[in-house]
Amino acid sequence: MSKIKQISHVAVVVNDMDKSLLFWRDALGLEMTELRDVPAEKSTIAFLPAGQAEVELVRPTSDDSGIAKYLAKRGPGMHHICLEVDDIEDMLVRLKGKGVRLINEETRIAANGKKYAFVHPESTGGVLVELYQA
Amino acid sequence: MSKIKQISHVAVVVNDMDKSLLFWRDALGLEMTELRDVPAEKSTIAFLPAGQAEVELVRPTSDDSGIAKYLAKRGPGMHHICLEVDDIEDMLVRLKGKGVRLINEETRIAANGKKYAFVHPESTGGVLVELYQA
């Protein structure tokens, strides 16, 4: 049976990357391992590991992406939590069997080749949850 | 110099604990190690470890707490992220020196005797951040 292994990352949507880094990197002292433009997500993403997990700061680079619309509607803040699962296909079958509403009914492939899928906040208590298989 | 060790927990504010547990515990398969009434926070909290970190589901038990007001205003969803720090006093001094706005200028003592303090979302890019020393 598939199992959640850990929190992979917490994604924070920001409107000012430099200002956000003043807190997360410079004040808090987290190491920023990468600041990467991700065209597929129309975003620039800063990766800051904290133990096993990461904080990801996401700044939209276009106005028409889902994350840009989220930012416009809700303001900056936590966007989603990503959980690492050991067998994502099995997990999606189980979630569907339990009546959980999925945003991605089938797994998608990230730029790094890994599988992921999003669960709808309606089924989680208001949290956008990403499942990810490392 | 004080250092962030890991993500300690992600707190999710919910309005229906039973329904939320249908997802986080029963569908996702996380183990719920404890479901505890926390009078000091006017909440019932479910603790679900995921690797080093935990998901905490928080249901307000009173209408006049900060978290109840947050729920009424923003709806259910992610409430705050808690980061474990090895020396919280040193960290607070550093944050103040960097001009970071703190909700708790001095550390507070949790029911379990551990020290914590909250950082204001204004300084973090919209995220309520808790610092915690284990």
Side-chain angles (χ1 to χ4, degrees):
Chain A
M1 195 175 93
S2 56
K3 199 172 176 309
I4 299 295
K5 297 178 71 177
Q6 60 173 331
I7 294 177
S8 170
H9 65 259
V10 174
V12 175
V13 57
V14 306
N15 49 25
D16 184 333
M17 183 64 84
D18 289 339
K19 194 176 161 202
S20 299
L21 287 172
L22 286 181
F23 172 71
W24 293 92
R25 182 190 57 194
D26 302 338
L28 217 47
L30 291 177
E31 184 192 3
M32 181 175 74
T33 53
E34 199 177 0
L35 178 66
R36 194 193 327 155
D37 197 44
V38 184
E41 298 183 25
K42 297 181 179 176
S43 297
T44 299
I45 305 180
F47 298 85
L48 301 108
Q52 285 180 343
E54 280 187 331
V55 174
E56 294 188 6
L57 305 177
V58 183
R59 186 180 63 77
T61 50
S62 153
D63 287 341
D64 64 348
S65 62
I67 201 153
K69 287 171 188 164
Y70 180 98
L71 178 60
K73 187 177 171 191
R74 311 253 314 182
M78 284 192 281
H79 181 261
H80 70 266
I81 179 173
C82 178
L83 303 172
E84 185 187 332
V85 57
D86 57 2
D87 182 346
I88 190 168
E89 310 283 1
D90 180 71
M91 178 63 81
L92 291 188
V93 168
R94 188 164 90 216
L95 294 182
K96 280 187 247 189
K98 296 269 188 185
V100 170
R101 184 174 167 196
L102 302 175
I103 291 176
N104 308 118
E105 293 272 339
E106 307 294 334
T107 54
R108 296 175 65 93
I109 308 292
N112 63 3
K114 307 292 187 182
K115 293 177 181 172
Y116 71 95
F118 279 91
V119 183
H120 198 283
E122 183 185 279
S123 289
T124 69
V127 181
L128 180 60
V129 173
E130 180 182 4
L131 300 171
Y132 170 83
Q133 184 172 334
Chain B
M1 196 176 92
S2 55
K3 199 171 176 310
I4 299 296
K5 297 178 72 177
Q6 60 173 330
I7 294 176
S8 170
H9 65 259
V10 175
V12 175
V13 57
V14 306
N15 50 24
D16 185 330
M17 183 63 83
D18 290 339
K19 194 177 162 201
S20 299
L21 287 172
L22 286 180
F23 173 71
W24 293 92
R25 181 191 57 194
D26 302 338
L28 218 45
L30 291 177
E31 183 193 3
M32 181 175 74
T33 53
E34 199 178 359
L35 178 66
R36 193 193 330 155
D37 196 45
V38 184
E41 297 183 26
K42 297 179 179 176
S43 297
T44 298
I45 305 180
F47 297 86
L48 301 108
Q52 285 180 341
E54 281 187 331
V55 174
E56 294 187 7
L57 305 177
V58 183
R59 185 181 64 78
T61 49
S62 152
D63 287 342
D64 63 348
S65 63
I67 201 153
K69 287 171 189 164
Y70 181 98
L71 178 60
K73 187 178 171 190
R74 309 252 316 181
M78 284 192 280
H79 181 260
H80 69 266
I81 179 173
C82 178
L83 303 172
E84 185 187 332
V85 56
D86 57 1
D87 183 345
I88 190 169
E89 310 284 0
D90 180 71
M91 179 62 82
L92 292 188
V93 168
R94 188 164 90 217
L95 294 182
K96 281 186 246 189
K98 296 270 188 186
V100 171
R101 183 173 166 195
L102 302 175
I103 291 176
N104 308 118
E105 293 272 339
E106 307 294 334
T107 55
R108 296 175 64 96
I109 308 293
N112 64 2
K114 307 293 188 182
K115 292 177 182 171
Y116 71 95
F118 280 90
V119 183
H120 198 285
E122 184 185 276
S123 289
T124 68
V127 181
L128 179 59
V129 173
E130 180 182 6
L131 299 171
Y132 169 84
Q133 185 172 333

